Amino acid sequence: MRVGGVDPKSLCSEVLLVLPRVEQPIVFKARGLKDYAEFDALCPQPKPPGKYTKDGWVPDEKDATYQVVQSEWGKKRLAYLVINSLKPSEVEWDTVNLADPSTWTNWEKELLESNLSQVEVNRVLGLVLEANALDESK
């Protein structure tokens, strides 16, 4: 396939973030994810409770328990995006296990505990979001 004469595979697929350090800079590389198929298989989106009425099934999206579960699912989805986008960086996680979704949300805590500042962690997140989004330069 070609788009305007350009093979999409030839486009730059990684973005970089260099964090200065005295001994050696830390280089984060991020690559955009193709899709969320693996995530959806491991962590399907929660469904709200509801009830049957004369009009059929009516979901209750304001249910407090559902709101909490949905929020946790959203955090897991973001964590999946972060840790999988950072695979080119070859991060050696201590508490994050790619095979265990319950550990994914440890990514931020682990970066902070490795002596990155909150601003640097935010920049890493920004890098991941940049890799997974279109902007004017792309």
Side-chain angles (χ1 to χ4, degrees), residues 46-49 60-73:
K47 299 196 184 317
D60 180 10
E61 294 181 356
K62 295 185 185 214
D63 178 77
T65 303
Y66 170 73
Q67 292 289 325
V68 170
V69 170
Q70 180 69 17
S71 175
E72 291 304 311
W73 179 84

Side-chain angles (χ1 to χ4, degrees), residues 19 22 26 62 67 72 79 115-116 134:
L19 299 177
V22 174
I26 300 172
K62 295 185 185 214
Q67 292 289 325
E72 291 304 311
N115 212 27
L116 268 65
L134 289 176

Side-chain angles (χ1 to χ4, degrees), residues 24-36:
Q24 182 177 348
I26 300 172
V27 179
F28 283 96
K29 299 173 190 174
R31 182 178 296 136
L33 298 185
K34 185 175 180 176
D35 59 39
Y36 282 93

Side-chain angles (χ1 to χ4, degrees), residues 31-132:
R31 182 178 296 136
L33 298 185
K34 185 175 180 176
D35 59 39
Y36 282 93
E38 181 184 16
F39 175 79
D40 292 337
L42 292 169
C43 304
Q45 186 167 9
K47 299 196 184 317
K51 59 184 173 184
Y52 281 105
T53 67
K54 63 180 178 164
D55 298 324
W57 178 259
V58 178
D60 180 10
E61 294 181 356
K62 295 185 185 214
D63 178 77
T65 303
Y66 170 73
Q67 292 289 325
V68 170
V69 170
Q70 180 69 17
S71 175
E72 291 304 311
W73 179 84
K75 289 175 187 174
K76 241 181 232 181
R77 190 170 194 265
L78 176 63
Y80 174 86
L81 178 70
V82 171
I83 62 178
N84 284 283
S85 292
L86 291 177
K87 279 184 179 177
S89 300
E90 299 177 4
V91 177
E92 296 175 18
W93 301 104
D94 292 328
T95 62
V96 173
N97 179 352
L98 298 176
D100 183 1
S102 68
T103 66
W104 295 347
T105 55
N106 293 343
W107 72 269
E108 184 175 15
K109 179 181 176 191
E110 193 166 327
L111 289 178
L112 288 168
E113 288 175 352
S114 69
N115 212 27
L116 268 65
S117 69
Q118 183 65 58
V119 170
E120 290 171 325
V121 172
N122 292 349
R123 293 200 55 208
V124 170
L125 177 59
L127 176 77
V128 167
L129 296 176
E130 178 185 348
N132 285 280

